[in-house]
Amino acid sequence: MGRLTGGDPSLLRRINSAVVLHALRDAGSPTLTDLTRLTGLSRPTVEGVIEGLVEADLVSESEPEEGEARRQGRPARRFRFRVEAGHLLGVEIGPHRVAALVSGLDGRVIGAGSRDVAEAASADERLERVRQVIADVLRRAGVARTNLRAVGVGTPGIVEADGTIRLGTALPGWTGLALGQRLQRSFRCPVLVENDANAAALAEHWKGSAKDSDDVVFVLAGLSPGAGSLIGGRLHRGFGGAAGEIGALHLLGREVTPETLLSTTDQPLHPLDEPAVAQVFALAKQGDARAGAAVERFIQRLVHDVAALVLALDPELVVIGGWAAGLDGVLDPLREELARYCLRPPRVTLSLLREAAVATGALRLALDHVEEELFAVEGTAASHR
């Protein structure tokens, strides 16, 4: 795939190429006249840039529109951004399932798949399941692995810049795992690893509930909730990638763990035992007093954790995702608590993407990386970190 880099004749030409390519991607099948109007560049400049983009396999000439073909004379030439010039992969690695999405260079999903995985699966077993899902999705979509330009991955845990999991208590054998390096063996393109809540925040900003907001907190709510934050439209990871780990707030003087809060017996729930958690909520809906009290305790802890992050960041919007997004009545208590504790309560809504949020955000990571390469006007593309 072509790239606009320092090997091009001049900085001005690289800038012009990026401008024209942006316009082509957003405009469908414009003519040279359209591109001249959209970019503000001269027609000879646009023609020269188009020639170079065609040579780089990033642009092709498209068929005339039906009305134009019927007119006398030669129709105006039209061009299009070749979304099939490369493909992107977004991968979610979770406690109970792994999932993958594949798209063209425009980010439109053309293939998807998932597989269940045991919560007690070892790191090797989980990674093998990831490879199986990826192979299935690529095969069904008709995409060659060699045509992938970037792979994004969303996973629980604190993720280092090189894709190593510094701390990952949600998955067995995950702490210290060189995940980026392990996955890189299967691909020729860059592999970008991100915390799952951070990935989900990107997804909601791209295609979900936060499309119109640049200051957002996304809460991946579960027994040990995590959060991803966008500040001014940019992901805030913190110095070491640990921003948003609100699941650890109970350590600050609250010794009761979330799995104890949701227990209806004297024994805490297993943090990854989602069926047991679902049973507690089902019993609460049926009117079981002990289950109802457990759910109330859980919601109160969740809203206090979210309030702490809102006080620190003052977001415009809070999006609730994860399995807790399916809870009846979670929004009203959260809104009430935020109004009680916060000087300027944010809007609160549920995730639109639900279980697809993490994989979609991972796909966005891959798209961001490729866009940095395509539209760079310096010698190299910027890092995603």
Side-chain angles (χ1 to χ4, degrees), residues 121-144:
S122 68
D124 287 342
E125 292 169 335
R126 200 173 301 274
L127 289 176
E128 178 58 30
R129 189 57 58 93
V130 170
R131 295 186 187 97
Q132 292 169 358
V133 168
I134 290 172
D136 287 347
V137 169
L138 293 179
R139 175 178 51 79
R140 292 200 304 269
V143 173

Side-chain angles (χ1 to χ4, degrees), residues 70 195 372:
R70 292 175 180 170
N195 168 266
E372 286 171 353

Side-chain angles (χ1 to χ4, degrees), residues 241-322:
E245 293 294 331
I246 57 176
L249 284 174
H250 70 274
L251 299 175
L252 302 178
R254 292 179 177 168
E255 291 77 13
V256 179
T257 62
E259 50 267 34
T260 301
L261 285 174
L262 265 179
S263 174
T264 58
T265 68
D266 294 332
Q267 297 298 318
L269 300 178
H270 190 284
L272 300 182
D273 192 351
E274 289 185 6
V277 172
Q279 178 65 15
V280 173
F281 286 106
L283 289 172
K285 287 182 180 181
Q286 295 168 14
D288 183 279
R290 297 191 70 178
V295 170
E296 179 63 24
R297 291 194 300 268
F298 171 78
I299 290 178
Q300 285 299 311
R301 171 63 62 82
L302 176 64
V303 297
H304 289 162
D305 291 348
V306 174
L309 196 54
V310 168
L311 281 168
L313 297 181
D314 184 30
E316 176 187 2
L317 177 68
V318 172
V319 180
I320 304 297

